[in-house]
Amino acid sequence: MLETVDVQGFIPSQDSRLIKFCRADAEQDHFKPADWHLPAAFQIFQFAEILGDVMQMYIDEAPDVEQFLYLPASAKLGRLYSRIFDKLAKQPHFQIAAILPLTGTCHAYQRT
């Protein structure tokens, strides 16, 4: 799959991982973002915090992974990922930084 990611000449390293999110509590269509509405808008902050915690655990447990790639399923999710990762990158303990200009199709981060 990573071989198919080619955005503006960017080719991921061999030690990359493509990260895909789904709605685990969905009864069907786990990967269909249109069905991912939060019951309360403020829950987005909880989602961002959980995402940051999960990514930090992944970083800690998989030291051989150099890059993390996200291919958002919609433009709305792409904007959400951008906001979340911009906020997380400003936290001193978070160990990744953006390495690809935002294209709307691929978000790429590398260990710092």
Side-chain angles (χ1 to χ4, degrees):
M1 176 72 170
L2 291 178
E3 293 82 20
T4 65
V5 176
D6 183 0
V7 179
Q8 297 177 352
F10 171 77
I11 305 294
S13 77
Q14 288 294 88
D15 294 322
S16 300
R17 293 296 180 271
L18 179 63
I19 308 294
K20 185 70 178 163
F21 299 106
C22 71
R23 181 74 183 250
D25 61 343
E27 292 183 21
Q28 59 185 2
D29 296 326
H30 297 277
F31 293 99
K32 190 175 176 185
D35 294 338
W36 296 359
H37 301 288
L38 296 173
F42 68 86
Q43 291 178 338
I44 199 67
F45 299 108
Q46 294 168 327
F47 171 76
E49 203 160 304
I50 290 168
L51 176 61
D53 292 345
V54 168
M55 279 306 303
Q56 191 61 54
M57 286 189 301
Y58 195 99
I59 289 167
D60 293 344
E61 295 298 321
D64 56 319
V65 177
E66 295 175 11
Q67 297 174 341
F68 303 90
L69 308 172
Y70 300 85
L71 300 173
S74 71
K76 192 173 183 179
L77 281 174
R79 290 188 301 273
L80 173 64
Y81 293 166
S82 293
R83 288 194 309 264
I84 289 172
F85 281 99
D86 285 349
K87 183 176 179 178
L88 292 172
K90 294 175 184 168
Q91 297 178 8
H93 70 280
F94 204 68
Q95 304 168 355
I96 66 171
I99 57 172
L100 184 65
L102 293 182
T103 63
T105 59
C106 181
H107 298 255
Y109 300 88
Q110 186 163 320
R111 287 180 179 272
T112 55

